[in-house]
Each structure stands twice: as C-alpha cells, then as structure tokens.
Amino acid sequence: MPISVSQPSKIAVSSSNGGVINISVVASEETKVVSLTTTAANNISVAGAIGAGPAGATGPQGPQGEQGPQGEQGPAGADGATGPQGDTGPQGPQGDTGPAGAAGADGSPNIESSITITNTDAAFSHMTSPISAGTSVEAILRNMLEKYNITSISLTAVKAAYQNTDGSYPATANKTSFATLEVGRGVRSDGFSFTIGNTSQTSDNSVLFKIDGTTVTSGVSETGSPVTYTTNTLDPGTVTSKSYTVEAIDNGSGTNNTIYNSKSVTWRYLVRLATATTNSIADNTAAQTLYDSGLTDMATDLNSGSTWLNVLTTAASNSQSNYTYIVFPAAFGDLQGVVQDSSLPVLGAFTDLGDFTINNQYGVSISYSFYVSNQTAAFASGTELDITF
C-alpha cells in the first residue's frame, strides 16, 4: 500500500522492534514519523505521528485473503408474527363405524305412572284404561295409531220361500233381501251363505247361524259356505220383525270379538182401498164374505198404522153401481183424515160401518174397520187420496 506525504525530502528508517518499523520523513520544515505494523500477511497498519502529511492515494485492492474460520453462532432471533391461516385441506376419508349401542326394550322410554284415558272420543274407544305404569311410549302410540281392524262377516243370502195363500210353500231359493209380508204369511228356510273378510283372523269353526235369536246350527268352518240346516218356519201372526243372523269369532288381536250380520223379515197388516156394490155389513159373517169376495181392490198397502199417501182411485170408483171402501185393522183406531188431491178434506164423505172380526187370506183372525163412501161414483178415476189412520 503506497504512503503519501506532502513534499518529502527523504525517508529514513530509524529502527524496528517487535514487528514495528519506524520510518522518519524529513522535510525542510519538520520531521514526521510513521509507524508501520504488520498485523497479517499483506496487511500493514499505518499510524501517523504528529505532523504527518496527507494520505496518499488508495492503492489497488489486494487479492482476497483466505476465508477465516467460522465464528461462533449468534443467539436465536425472536419469534416472528403469526402468519395468516391457510386454506382448509380436503376432507379425509370416513372413519370406521363404531360398535352399536345396547338396545332398549323397544327403543322408547316408559311412562312412570299409569294413565287414565278420559277422552271420550271414539278414536280412543279401542284402548284399555288405565294404561299401566312401565308401558313404553312407543307401545302406547302403536296402540293408539295402529288400531286392530276387526274383520267382517256378511250374510249374503238365506235360502227361503214365502207361503202361498193356500198354505203351501214353493221350493226354497237364495234371497238376498226380504219383502215386507202380510201378517200370517210364513217364511220357510233351510240354508244360508256367508263371506268373511279375512278368515285368518277368525277362530276355527266359530261360525253359527241364528233365527230370531235362537241358534239353529253352529261349529261351521269359516270357509264352509253355503250351509244347510233343518227346515225352519217363521209365522208370527202379528205385526213384528224377525231376523236371520250369522256370527263368528274374530280372535286375531288376542281378544275374542263377535262379528255378525243379519237380514230381517217384517210383517204388517194389509190395508185396502176398494169398491163394492153394497154399503152395509150385518155381522162378522157378512164382513168375511165382503172381505173375501165382495171387495174389488183399487190399491193395497202393508201399513204400520200411520199414513197412506198418494193412493189413486180407478174407474171402478166412478161407477154408479159402486161404493168406495177404506178397510184397515181396528188396532189403528178411528180414521183420522182423507184428503183429495192434496187439498180437499173428504173424510165426511165416508161412514164408519164398524169393526168386524175376519180371517185374512193367511188364516189370521183380525178385527177390521170398514169405512164406506156415502154415495156411489164418489171419485173420478185417478183421484189422489192421502189417508191418515
């Protein structure tokens, strides 16, 4: 490295000691001393003494020395600030299903105390009250919502026949319904047919058949239709109704439930709107003759004893030879009213001839009332009469 001093006249090396070389710079005014210290190869430290001249120009950089040994590691720096959260990674695969827990009795809790059903709605009529403590809620709900549906049985036909006026009976045949019959007309039967909605719900051989409440056959298989039985005759001889009933036991719910279906026969008295050439009756014998052969019917009805409406006359009631008769059971009481064409009261146009005991066409003795018109040709053909008994 060059040493520059201002206008030197000479340089003198005065001494060296311990690697320090003392150089004297002599000028006209004064002497300057420069100490050079060798600290390392290719490095010289210059210390200027008082009165040294200005520094010389910097010489070119020497070649880089060998890398010195690595210094000791400094202390760790402080933690940096927390960085922002990264994006959520993709969902990992589903883990294995864990083992099932232990099951309860039916998976629902039980009621702690009994419940009395006070709701009177028909929707709860099938439930047993009280509901016992310890019953599960699920069992209560199922009993409430899954009501057991009792099956049904149908009496599809009764094998029967109606009595003729001569007392005989034709062969029996299946009847799906019965006509209203005149008092005294018998009904003979000897069989029936039935169906059951769901035979798997009925008790085996539980089918039975009743006539007017009396069992005539039993122990019938639920698939045993049609069924025959010993001939039976109904002939009550009075106003009434009788029934034919088929029954079975539905035990599919664990409880015996009687299922049944019936058909009924009804008997009524005969009432008559008729004409005759006579207007008097002497006694029961005369009344019987008139009833059997003297009356020509314009209309008849099997009546319960209240009203008989929209009854039409025929040309026979407009004949100068004929009187008009209203004949009905004395049990109905006095005739209450006769209205012509829905507006004109004409009860006064009739006379009550009295009550007479006669036998009807089926041999039943009945007291009948006979009302006769006051004159012949009393009504034009097609006149409408409303009769009240």
Side-chain angles (χ1 to χ4, degrees), residues 152-159 175-178 191-196 208-210 243-247 260-264:
S152 61
I153 189 170
S154 176
L155 178 60
T156 55
V158 176
K159 194 177 178 186
K175 295 186 181 297
T176 57
S177 62
F178 288 91
F192 67 98
S193 300
F194 68 93
T195 59
I196 294 176
L208 60 83
F209 188 69
K210 294 179 178 180
S243 63
Y244 296 94
T245 303
V246 63
E247 294 183 3
Y260 63 91
N261 187 236
S262 300
K263 295 184 184 297
S264 296

Side-chain angles (χ1 to χ4, degrees), residues 56-375:
T58 301
Q61 179 174 341
Q64 180 174 337
E66 296 180 3
Q67 181 173 339
Q70 181 174 338
E72 295 180 2
Q73 181 174 339
D79 292 340
T82 302
Q85 180 174 337
D87 295 335
T88 302
Q91 179 175 337
Q94 180 172 333
D96 295 336
T97 302
D106 62 9
S108 68
N110 299 333
I111 60 173
E112 294 183 357
S113 59
S114 63
I115 298 175
T116 300
I117 300 173
T118 58
N119 193 322
T120 58
D121 190 279
F124 302 95
S125 62
H126 67 285
M127 299 182 69
T128 301
S129 180
I131 302 171
S132 301
T135 304
S136 74
V137 173
E138 179 178 347
I140 296 171
L141 288 173
R142 288 190 179 279
N143 189 22
M144 184 185 303
L145 302 177
E146 296 180 342
K147 177 184 177 182
Y148 175 76
N149 293 316
I150 299 173
T151 192
S152 61
I153 189 170
S154 176
L155 178 60
T156 55
V158 176
K159 194 177 178 186
Y162 301 138
Q163 182 183 3
N164 297 319
T165 55
D166 64 1
S168 65
Y169 286 88
T172 59
N174 284 334
K175 295 186 181 297
T176 57
S177 62
F178 288 91
T180 299
L181 303 179
E182 182 179 354
V183 168
R185 189 176 190 183
V187 180
R188 181 167 291 174
S189 65
D190 57 13
F192 67 98
S193 300
F194 68 93
T195 59
I196 294 176
N198 186 348
T199 55
S200 68
Q201 294 181 205
T202 54
S203 178
D204 293 343
N205 304 320
S206 65
V207 177
L208 60 83
F209 188 69
K210 294 179 178 180
I211 299 178
D212 196 30
T214 299
T215 300
V216 296
T217 186
S218 61
V220 178
S221 168
E222 59 272 22
T223 59
S225 180
V227 182
T228 60
Y229 53 83
T230 302
T231 299
N232 175 276
T233 301
L234 291 177
D235 190 2
T238 186
V239 173
T240 190
S241 291
K242 302 288 184 180
S243 63
Y244 296 94
T245 303
V246 63
E247 294 183 3
I249 300 298
D250 181 320
N251 63 350
S253 66
T255 301
N256 289 341
N257 294 287
T258 300
I259 56 176
Y260 63 91
N261 187 236
S262 300
K263 295 184 184 297
S264 296
V265 187
T266 299
W267 285 266
R268 295 285 183 263
Y269 288 122
L270 181 69
V271 296
R272 306 169 71 180
L273 178 67
T275 60
T277 57
T278 182
N279 64 345
S280 63
I281 302 173
D283 51 30
N284 288 337
T285 300
Q288 185 73 62
T289 300
L290 178 63
Y291 187 90
D292 290 342
S293 58
L295 295 174
T296 300
D297 288 326
M298 294 186 288
T300 61
D301 186 49
L302 293 171
N303 199 279
S304 61
S306 54
T307 58
W308 188 16
L309 305 178
N310 306 320
V311 190
L312 296 178
T313 63
T314 67
S317 66
N318 198 30
S319 170
Q320 293 295 329
S321 301
N322 292 333
Y323 293 91
T324 298
Y325 275 80
I326 300 174
V327 182
F328 57 93
F332 289 1
D334 293 338
L335 191 61
Q336 299 299 304
V338 180
V339 177
Q340 179 178 327
D341 295 329
S342 302
S343 60
L344 179 63
V346 291
L347 176 60
F350 290 87
T351 297
D352 180 7
L353 297 180
D355 300 336
F356 301 91
T357 300
I358 57 94
N359 292 327
N360 72 2
Q361 59 186 333
Y362 297 103
V364 178
S365 179
I366 303 169
S367 178
Y368 266 91
S369 295
F370 290 77
Y371 279 69
V372 64
S373 62
N374 296 331
Q375 61 186 37

